[in-house]
Every structure is written in C-alpha cells, then in structure tokens.
Amino acid sequence: MFNLNLVSSAIAPIATIASLDNSVTSGTTNTIKQWLIFSASAFLVSIPVFVQAPLVRLYPTISLLSTIPWFVLSLILIFRPKTQLWGDLLLGFAGCWLAGSIYWGWFRWEPILHLPIESIGLPFAIWCLGKSWGKVGGYFYLGSLFGTAITDLYFYLTGLMPYWRQVMHAEPELAMPIFQSAIGQIETPWGIGWALVLIAVLLTVGLLSLRGTQLHWRAFSGAVLSTLLVDGLFWLAASAA
C-alpha cells in the first residue's frame, strides 16, 4: 500500500535544503543590490559636479533641456519590471539635474538662492514618499539635498559667501586666487572647528542610514557620504593650487 507519511518524511529534508538554498541566494542577491544602489548613488552625486558644472556654465539652456532625456529614460526604466529599481533612482537624479541646471545656469551669483532652488523637487519627492512610490529616487534626492544643505551651512557659518559671489563673477583663470583666499578663511580655528562638526554630522547620518537593509536607505547613504568626497576634492584642488 502506498504510504504518504513515508514519502513526505523522505521529501521533507530535501525541501528544507532547497528552501535554505533559495534563502541564501535571495539574501546574497539583495546584498549585492544594496551595494550597487549605494555605489550608483555616490556616482550620480558626482556627475553634476564633474560633468554638469562645466556644461551649465557654457551652455545653460542645453543643460536644462537635457533634463528631459533623463526624465524620459527614468520613466521607461520604471515601467519595465527588470529595470524598475534603476529607473526609480534615475528619477531622483533627474530632479537633482533639473534644480542644478536652473541654479548654476542663471542664479549662481547669489548663494542665498542655492538651497531654495535645489529644493525645487522636494514637494514631489515628499508626495511620492507619502504614496510609498519611488522611494529609492526620493531618498536619493533627499540625501543629495541634505548634503547640499550641510555644505551651504558651512559657507554661511565661516563667512565664505562673499568668496562664492566673487568666484561666480570672475573669469575662470582669475578664480584661483579667490579660492586661495577662501582656503585661508577655512584654515582658522573657527573654520576647522565647524568643518569637524559638520563632517561628523554627515558621517553619522550617512553611516546610520547605511545600516538599513532597505534599498532606499542605501540610496540615501550613498548620496550623503559622497558629499564628503566631493567637498574634499574641491578643498584639495584649491589647496594645491
């Protein structure tokens, strides 16, 4: 007679092993995704600095109009299941590109307007997060905006705003002496003290969010921590000149 209990007893260990294998595979895949999102976020924060900055200074209208392809590409990727995650991230990046094009193209001479214009996508990001949609892109945008706010705060606290205005009005070949004067302002007890405080804030926020296993927290962390890298490169470039 066919014994169902015997068959189920024989199958149970095999099913358990298969389940464990699937769990391990799924966990490994998710870990890889987390680090890919983190790395991509850090990379995307760097693009506006090294690519958009020279483009927007020479051709601001082209930089602004190039936002359209970024948005279109992000939507195409979002509506494809296999690329939805990357479209989500790219949508947040497109918001940053749009804000950067507007500010650095037409308002860069006034530092007070920097953060308000960079926040142009904030209502949309908040709306998306309220609907639990576009979390990766939304958190990437918020992380980038947070890093911008901390950098601007440092400029306010250390009296660097006048240098900002001078650099934006100066020809590129005349900007380096202004940078050197600004470095002199930074290399004071007040400037160094605030730099340490705000670096600690960025590190704390970035590393705490890095502990989150959800993908949107990795996007946020990558955007925040890459602010330190970008600001550090600028400081080194100005100091070495």
Side-chain angles (χ1 to χ4, degrees):
M1 186 176 180
F2 191 71
N3 193 329
L4 289 175
N5 291 331
L6 182 62
V7 173
S8 61
S9 299
I11 291 175
I14 300 173
T16 302
I17 292 171
S19 177
L20 287 172
D21 285 345
N22 289 335
S23 177
V24 170
T25 302
S26 176
T28 302
T29 302
N30 193 49
T31 300
I32 292 172
K33 266 187 185 177
Q34 289 170 5
W35 286 110
L36 283 175
I37 287 293
F38 174 84
S39 302
S41 298
F43 175 72
L44 288 175
V45 168
S46 305
I47 287 181
V49 176
F50 299 108
V51 177
Q52 188 182 29
L55 175 64
V56 78
R57 190 177 184 98
L58 297 173
Y59 308 106
T61 304
I62 292 177
S63 179
L64 180 62
L65 292 177
S66 65
T67 307
I68 298 173
W70 287 123
F71 273 117
V72 171
L73 179 59
S74 68
L75 292 176
I76 291 172
L77 295 175
I78 283 174
F79 289 107
R80 293 179 178 177
K82 290 184 178 180
T83 57
Q84 182 178 9
L85 177 64
W86 303 108
D88 188 352
L89 179 60
L90 194 60
L91 184 61
F93 169 74
C96 295
W97 186 280
L98 172 63
S101 295
I102 294 172
Y103 176 76
W104 295 106
W106 290 276
F107 299 96
R108 62 179 177 268
W109 298 278
E110 186 44 69
I112 294 175
L113 297 176
H114 185 217
L115 193 58
I117 293 177
E118 290 287 350
S119 304
I120 193 172
L122 187 58
F124 180 68
I126 293 174
W127 180 82
C128 287
L129 295 178
K131 299 290 184 180
S132 295
W133 183 86
K135 279 189 173 183
V136 171
Y139 273 80
F140 169 81
Y141 178 83
L142 292 178
S144 177
L145 189 61
F146 179 77
T148 298
I150 293 295
T151 302
D152 282 12
L153 178 61
Y154 182 76
F155 273 73
Y156 282 111
L157 292 171
T158 54
L160 292 173
M161 290 303 175
Y163 297 100
W164 182 321
R165 294 186 180 97
Q166 290 174 37
V167 167
M168 293 305 149
H169 282 98
E171 294 298 324
E173 61 272 12
L174 300 176
M176 199 49 66
I178 302 172
F179 274 123
Q180 291 172 335
S181 298
I183 290 296
Q185 186 90 349
I186 293 171
E187 293 176 343
T188 61
W190 179 263
I192 293 172
W194 274 114
L196 293 175
V197 169
L198 296 180
I199 287 171
V201 170
L202 286 170
L203 280 174
T204 301
V205 172
L207 293 176
L208 284 177
S209 55
L210 187 61
R211 295 175 63 184
T213 57
Q214 295 168 303
L215 295 176
H216 57 268
W217 283 118
R218 293 302 174 100
F220 181 84
S221 177
V224 170
L225 292 177
S226 62
T227 301
L228 289 169
L229 174 63
V230 172
D231 289 351
L233 289 175
F234 268 117
W235 181 82
L236 287 173
S239 300

